[in-house]
Amino acid sequence: MKKKSSNLLLIGLIMIGLVLRVPFTSIPPVLTNIAQGLHIPVGELGTLTTIPLLMFAICSPFASKIASRFGYAATFVGVLIVLALGSLVRIFNVPFLFIGTALIGMAIAFLNVLMPAAVMNYFPNRIGIITSIYTTVMTCATALMSALAVPITQGSSWKTLLIIITGLVLLTWGIWLVNLKGDQHISNETAEQTDAIKDSVWKNKDAWIMLLFSGLQSLLFYTGLTWLPTMASDAGLSQTAAGNLSGIYSLIGIPFSIILPAFIEKLALKSRRWVILGFDSLGIIGVAMLLHQQSSFGYWLVVTLLIGCSTGALFPYLMTSFSLKASTAQRSAELSGMSQAGGYLIAAIGPFIFGYGHTLFHSWTLVTWCLLILTVLMTIMNWLMEKKEIIY
């Protein structure tokens, strides 16, 4: 592949990282403004953060089949148009707000699945560093747009915010439209490799282990993101302090996104297993500390750092593993599709069950014990996942 083309492909992957989360993560801070603008109670918009996660689970299995037929660039071009359309139509009325959110979920499901495979396909010798770049851009863009959402809305309107996001998606679409001309499809995989992909990934026991790990690490992240501020407030912290902890929890993954993928790629299997076990252990310690809650900010800062470091490291590790543990780019897409389909389904129900359990039992203790058991199970799945260099 020509160097110029490679550079444009790299820019295209970075831009997808830029728009991979912001179309729906920028919405929660301005939900009240949207509800006021549409003249509906804000409670009716509560499902706007759940819909994308459910669409991730439903649509992820289809991504690899579409990409294998049309190629990565063509699939990205089509998916980004759906993403832009979904982002834009939300400004019109309540029905289109929900329709647009569903379209966004469908589009991001495809991008989630195909990004690790596309990295493996276009940059097979630079998997770690390219994964580091796009996951770091994704994390930074998510944090930045979440912070800018309120000022943009206050300075203009929530519709302006959605139009700006749509513009970023269309810019990304334009870059991939250029990349489409030189797309290699999936021709760098030989006919023998393609013919070999006849055994379904859903029949692979190691892939099921990865699915469980994917789901449980997502459940730990989203449960912490949703409920740690509330738990801290219930323990006696001010809302401002709890909000600061929430910001730390979201941002702590940035250095891991920068460093970990390239580092993991260079490690031998045995060394990788122990390094990742260390990050799993941080999550176990952090959740276990929740069983003996204190009212001091220092205590909650330690808990936030422990769980945040664990989930912040495990996400880029998982994104890298979709490439490292597959024998071809096509298999990487299938492995990613299966793991994220089941994983996001688990992640979508986790925070709901956690919150419902607290409401039912009027205590955080029982649900925390359940979360601790699931975190230990996540660690076991991770250990089993790292017993083989290639699992599919």
Side-chain angles (χ1 to χ4, degrees), residues 80-97:
L80 287 167
I81 280 292
V82 174
L83 182 59
L85 180 64
S87 179
L88 184 61
V89 300
R90 293 181 295 176
I91 69 175
F92 296 125
N93 54 42
V94 175
F96 275 113
L97 178 63

Side-chain angles (χ1 to χ4, degrees), residues 34-35 37-40 44-45 48 89-101 158:
I34 296 174
L38 295 174
H39 308 292
I40 60 173
E44 294 186 15
L45 302 181
L48 288 180
V89 300
R90 293 181 295 176
I91 69 175
F92 296 125
N93 54 42
V94 175
F96 275 113
L97 178 63
F98 286 93
I99 292 171
T101 301
W158 63 272

Side-chain angles (χ1 to χ4, degrees), residues 182-242:
D183 188 31
Q184 291 183 320
H185 198 47
I186 309 182
S187 57
N188 62 334
E189 293 183 6
T190 64
E192 289 79 12
Q193 286 175 319
T194 303
D195 290 340
I197 308 176
K198 292 181 179 179
D199 53 316
S200 171
V201 67
W202 292 91
K203 297 179 180 179
N204 186 307
K205 65 177 183 179
D206 294 314
W208 277 99
I209 290 173
M210 178 175 270
L211 183 154
L212 289 173
F213 168 72
S214 174
L216 292 172
Q217 69 86 25
S218 293
L219 182 148
L220 178 60
F221 172 77
Y222 283 108
T223 301
L225 184 68
T226 304
W227 292 111
L228 277 180
T230 303
M231 295 175 75
S233 295
D234 288 353
L237 264 65
S238 67
Q239 287 189 334
T240 300

Side-chain angles (χ1 to χ4, degrees), residues 133-156:
I133 292 172
Y134 92 77
T135 55
T136 300
V137 169
M138 182 187 71
T139 304
C140 291
T142 300
L144 180 62
M145 286 304 295
S146 295
L148 291 177
V150 173
I152 291 173
T153 300
Q154 291 177 341
S156 180

Side-chain angles (χ1 to χ4, degrees), residues 267-285:
L267 287 179
L269 181 63
K270 185 176 181 179
S271 298
R272 185 192 309 158
R273 184 188 307 160
W274 286 106
V275 168
I276 298 303
L277 179 64
F279 287 113
D280 291 325
S281 300
L282 293 180
I284 293 174
I285 296 171

Side-chain angles (χ1 to χ4, degrees), residues 10-41:
L10 177 57
I11 293 171
L13 292 173
I14 291 173
M15 287 302 297
I16 289 180
L18 184 70
V19 301
L20 197 55
R21 289 289 184 271
V22 294
F24 74 92
T25 57
S26 302
I27 297 302
V30 295
L31 270 181
T32 301
N33 303 83
I34 296 174
Q36 291 173 350
L38 295 174
H39 308 292
I40 60 173

Side-chain angles (χ1 to χ4, degrees), residues 17 20-21 56 111-112 115-116 131-132 134-139 142 213-214 217-218 221-222 250 253-254 256-257 260-261 264 276 279-280 307-322 336 340 344 378 382 385:
L20 197 55
R21 289 289 184 271
F56 294 169
L111 297 176
N112 278 337
M115 279 295 282
T131 303
S132 291
Y134 92 77
T135 55
T136 300
V137 169
M138 182 187 71
T139 304
T142 300
F213 168 72
S214 174
Q217 69 86 25
S218 293
F221 172 77
Y222 283 108
S250 300
I254 292 177
F256 294 109
S257 296
L260 203 60
I264 287 295
I276 298 303
F279 287 113
D280 291 325
I307 300 177
C309 284
S310 179
T311 57
L314 292 178
F315 175 73
Y317 156 74
L318 179 64
M319 293 297 103
T320 310
S321 295
F322 288 141
S336 175
Q340 296 196 56
Y344 279 113
M378 175 196 75
N382 200 177
M385 193 177 92

